[in-house]
Amino acid sequence: MVLRYLTAKLAQQIDEELMSSAGAFSIDQLMELAGLACAQTLAKVYDKEKYPKVLVCCGPGNQGGDGLVAARHLGMFGYRPTIYMPKPGSKDIYQRLKTQCDNMKIQTLPPSNETTDLADALASNDVILDAIFGFSFKGPIRAPFDNVLPMLTKSSLPIVSVDIPSGWDVEKGNIDGVGLQPDVLVSLTAPKEGVRAFTGRHFLGGRFIPKAMEEKFELNLPQYPGVDQIVELPQTQKL
């Protein structure tokens, strides 16, 4: 059976059912599991001895929350993450996740002079974790992200994107040519239609999907190895 790729509508429906009385997950639980999967993916591909410094770029929505969770876990794994938030989120959960990172003594770039700070950070880090835009992104890219994405694209640092590369349409992919071009992608729950053409290393993080929901939506998820929160998708799954 072939792994199912999700449309925007179906991805939204699954998220809603996970947090309904039927799924019974809280947003906190899902962010924690998603962020852990992202941190584990980065750690699997980029060894901390060679790539110890990670620039975690967080958007203001749930995608950014996943990034903050990943930053905390990366710190616990022995990496030295730095958080960059072009536009910090205002929700309570976002603030709590940020406080957890502060308590881990994880550095956050100051909000002033953002472009200059980002240029300095790109010069002093080893890998980027892209948690800016999620599957609900719709173009065009607006300020301040219209300056941020080109700088990340021009950087020589490897990029790990969360769920879908920032700037890509969830169903049509990088149709405007302004999205990031990551080396690694960690899809959450199930891959999205827009990443079918992705050719880098592709991981799946969604070990929280209940069996009943997997069967209902015919996701055909692969087996996760051992106790890992992620599974790498073989080339045949990307066709």
Side-chain angles (χ1 to χ4, degrees):
M1 292 185 291
V2 179
L3 175 65
R4 186 171 191 177
Y5 282 66
L6 306 181
T7 62
K9 181 178 180 180
L10 186 54
Q12 182 65 37
Q13 183 181 348
I14 291 174
D15 266 13
E16 290 174 356
E17 288 205 18
L18 281 169
M19 291 182 285
S20 71
S21 56
F25 279 92
S26 68
I27 185 65
D28 304 62
Q29 285 179 292
L30 294 177
M31 277 191 181
E32 188 66 26
L33 292 166
L36 176 58
C38 296
Q40 194 175 91
T41 298
L42 188 145
K44 186 176 184 67
V45 180
Y46 297 105
D47 184 83
K48 67 181 177 183
E49 302 304 321
K50 186 176 180 181
Y51 300 90
K53 294 181 287 184
V54 183
L55 182 63
V56 183
C57 300
C58 298
N62 291 346
Q63 190 89 339
D66 295 341
L68 291 173
V69 172
R72 171 163 45 82
H73 283 292
L74 287 168
M76 291 177 176
F77 293 170
Y79 289 83
R80 286 180 280 161
T82 297
I83 296 169
Y84 174 60
M85 300 183 292
K87 183 180 179 181
S90 58
K91 292 182 179 179
D92 176 67
I93 186 173
Y94 198 100
Q95 300 302 318
R96 288 189 283 110
L97 292 172
K98 175 60 169 56
T99 297
Q100 292 169 10
C101 290
D102 293 341
N103 292 338
M104 285 285 295
K105 298 186 176 179
I106 295 173
Q107 178 189 5
T108 298
L109 296 183
S112 61
N113 245 350
E114 285 174 347
T115 303
T116 302
D117 291 332
L118 177 57
D120 292 342
L122 290 172
S124 60
N125 277 276
D126 303 306
V127 60
I128 295 166
L129 181 65
D130 158 38
I132 299 176
F133 298 135
F135 67 77
S136 60
F137 168 78
K138 295 290 182 184
I141 298 172
R142 299 175 178 82
F145 303 102
D146 56 344
N147 289 324
V148 171
L149 261 62
M151 292 182 68
L152 297 180
T153 298
K154 292 175 184 176
S155 167
S156 61
L157 298 182
I159 299 175
V160 178
S161 284
V162 176
D163 204 25
I164 190 164
S166 289
W168 289 33
D169 183 272
V170 67
E171 294 181 359
K172 300 176 182 178
N174 193 20
I175 51 173
D176 295 324
V178 297
L180 299 185
Q181 296 289 348
D183 303 89
V184 180
L185 174 66
V186 51
S187 291
L188 300 173
T189 303
K192 312 308 181 289
E193 284 287 353
V195 303
R196 282 186 179 272
F198 178 71
T199 57
R201 293 186 69 177
H202 192 176
F203 292 80
L204 179 65
R207 206 167 187 173
F208 47 82
I209 297 295
K211 287 293 183 183
M213 197 170 293
E214 178 183 348
E215 293 171 359
K216 175 181 177 180
F217 292 103
E218 300 179 334
L219 299 179
N220 302 323
L221 300 178
Q223 186 73 33
Y224 285 82
V227 297
D228 287 355
Q229 295 298 308
I230 57 172
V231 57
E232 186 164 8
L233 301 180
Q235 189 69 34
T236 54
Q237 292 281 24
K238 304 170 192 173
L239 301 178

